[in-house]
Amino acid sequence: MADGTKEKQQQPKSSFCLHVTECFQDGSPKLSRKSSSPDNLEDEKHGQRKPGGWKAMPYILGNDTFERLASFGLLANFMVYLTRMLHLDQVSASNIINVWSGFTNFAPLLGAFISDAYAGRFRTIAFASFSSLLGMATVTLTAWLPQLHPPPCSPQQQTLDQCTGPTRAQLGTLILGLGFLSIGSGGIRPCSIPFGVDQFDPTTEDGKKGINSFFNWYYATFTVVLLISQTVVVYIQDKISWSVGFAIPTLLMACSIVLLFVGSRVYVHAKPQGSMFSSIAQVLVAAHKKRHIKLPEEAGIVDDGKFYDPPIKGFFVSKLPLTNQLRFLSKAAVILDNDLKPDGSPIDKWRLCSVQQVEDLKCVIRTIPVWASAIVSFTSMTQQGTFTVSQALKMDRHLGPHFEIPAGSLGVISLLTIGLWLPAYDRLLVPALRKFTKHEGGITVLQRCGIGIVFSVMSMLVAGLIERERRSFALLHPNEHVSFAWLVPQLVLMGLCEAFNIIALIEFFNREFPDHLRSVGNALLSCAFAGSSYLSSLVVNIVHHVTGRNKRPDWLTKDINAGRLDYFYFLLAGTGVLNFFYFVYCAQRYHYKAKNVYIIEEKPYANQVELAATDA
């Protein structure tokens, strides 16, 4: 994997809280001059609203927390709902979950574009909140109204596959509700963090401290939501009533909308600044138009007048030097006759781009191979909400004679693994590794990603072995069930996979993307989850149709005791091994982002500008 010889900057500290803080802070769009104006009389005279700071946080965090509680509370136990309430087979249920999860993870990319270029954050969040409320209400109705779900079915009928499935109208109503939820997530998730940052003044010490605290509170609420959704909400759905279990998040979502609008008087509204996607498109078009010109041997020197490299203007904007990687893109910045106006600006932005635009695109392209490997490694994680739940349904989940753990709650084991491992890793393992590797983070970011991929392979391998033993026991003892504790090893390994892979990728995208493009980097991580959902759905359907031949049940048949789920897990493990070698190949050839210069403007109206050279 990538070693320190190619790394051109020091690793940031490996504190988990620091990872999350830097990730969200660097990935958030910067404040406009109006929104970041200090608290003084001059601003009040000009009618500028000073940042509300913590006064606005209960409304913003409440809105985002309730939206995630609605979405995650639905997804955590949705496999059980689809199989037990709608009587779908596990392949069809898995496809619905994977397609919905993929669409939900792609939606924030579109939501970020609409917010940055046209609507603004508050309007996007407001519209998306109503969409989430409508989606949750629709899903709740499918559980509440008898007309919107199939008639009840006894366990004996389920075993004999005699249950009536949903009609097209019933299934269509459910999918409509899921679509509204995806639209809501696409608007709220990419906007809630930068909208919260807008409420603080980063030019003051209190504002900087407030921003750091906001990120910590944001992640804290995220963790609480996961724990509540996989325990309390799942238990209500599983043991009390599906309609009540869905109605609670629906009511909370309604409360979040009220909170959002109640706080409208204290919000700072940053104006839309435009989307970076147009800049990327301009570089591609300009490079294509100038594809026949020849570049100098060394493209690192730009002050000779051959490349368009205007000064950067803005707030906390980084400036990248021209590199010799992906040289064909550098042609977009070559100045030809009649490319510039008398004032030095380009005549046609689709023919001449700046060095900064070119390097921005290079940073994006360099990360694509690593991003592709993440899609495959995340595929194993998607099984926690589908086939792992199917396994749990065939196990004894009792804690004592009276309490039974819902199948959808077993994912808490992975969360607990992450919570216990990260502090030990940060406080004990990283200092020890630092003495040997001389890296401030102990090991490089890409090395942590590789370790995460290894854990994902191990989790699928162990899952296959456990499922083989569970199936053998079930066939020999039809009236007995093994303990749910058999699933603990694979869930622990999956938690370690997330602790290494996901957190390392968050840091990777935020380090390797320029400051003003880090929101795109965070969106790419979400798109990797979406890609893994679609890839998982593709693999499931191929296995389902290919393995069920000669009157034999397929590997993923409805009765997992008759199928071979263990073979499916082994298939994913084998795919993960190939992905690991692909990742090692890409990591060894990866060149980390070059040093950049930050243009730090301490006050929007100040006369002095400080240039600070720093490592990326």
Side-chain angles (χ1 to χ4, degrees), residues 458-478:
M458 292 175 60
S459 68
M460 291 295 97
L461 183 62
V462 171
L465 295 174
I466 291 175
E467 171 59 19
R468 174 177 291 180
E469 295 300 320
R470 186 211 62 79
R471 179 178 179 273
S472 298
F473 183 89
L475 294 177
L476 292 175
H477 307 87

Side-chain angles (χ1 to χ4, degrees), residues 199-309:
Q199 312 312 311
F200 296 95
D201 183 358
T203 65
T204 65
E205 288 298 324
D206 289 340
K208 294 177 182 177
K209 294 178 181 178
I211 291 174
N212 291 332
S213 297
F214 165 70
F215 293 134
N216 292 331
W217 275 100
Y218 183 91
Y219 187 76
T221 59
F222 179 78
T223 304
V224 171
V225 163
L226 288 177
L227 290 174
I228 293 177
S229 62
Q230 294 197 10
T231 54
V232 178
V233 175
V234 169
Y235 183 82
I236 293 174
Q237 294 170 351
D238 205 53
K239 301 300 181 182
I240 299 177
S241 170
W242 285 104
S243 56
V244 174
F246 290 157
I248 292 176
T250 303
L251 293 176
L252 292 177
M253 193 66 230
C255 293
S256 75
I257 296 177
V258 175
L259 282 175
L260 180 68
F261 284 96
V262 167
S264 59
R265 293 187 177 183
V266 298
Y267 296 148
V268 167
H269 300 275
K271 296 181 179 179
Q273 300 297 315
S275 174
M276 292 298 172
F277 295 104
S278 59
S279 175
I280 293 175
Q282 287 171 355
V283 174
L284 294 175
V285 172
H288 177 73
K289 290 181 178 179
K290 297 181 178 180
R291 62 188 181 276
H292 299 299
I293 67 174
K294 293 184 178 181
L295 289 172
E297 291 298 325
E298 293 293 333
I301 302 176
V302 297
D303 56 359
D304 57 0
K306 295 182 179 179
F307 296 94
Y308 180 58
D309 190 34

Side-chain angles (χ1 to χ4, degrees), residues 526-589:
S526 179
C527 290
F529 279 104
S532 68
S533 296
Y534 290 131
L535 177 61
S536 178
S537 180
L538 177 64
V539 173
V540 166
N541 281 279
I542 291 176
V543 170
H544 178 60
H545 289 92
V546 170
T547 59
R549 295 181 177 179
N550 300 324
K551 297 182 180 180
R552 297 177 58 185
D554 63 273
W555 293 357
L556 303 177
T557 188
K558 188 172 184 178
D559 182 7
I560 65 173
N561 291 336
R564 295 309 303 253
L565 182 58
D566 52 337
Y567 290 171
F568 175 71
Y569 283 142
F570 291 145
L571 175 64
L572 293 181
T575 305
V577 171
L578 297 177
N579 180 58
F580 174 75
F581 288 114
Y582 163 77
F583 172 81
V584 171
Y585 177 83
C586 296
Q588 288 179 336
R589 286 156 180 78

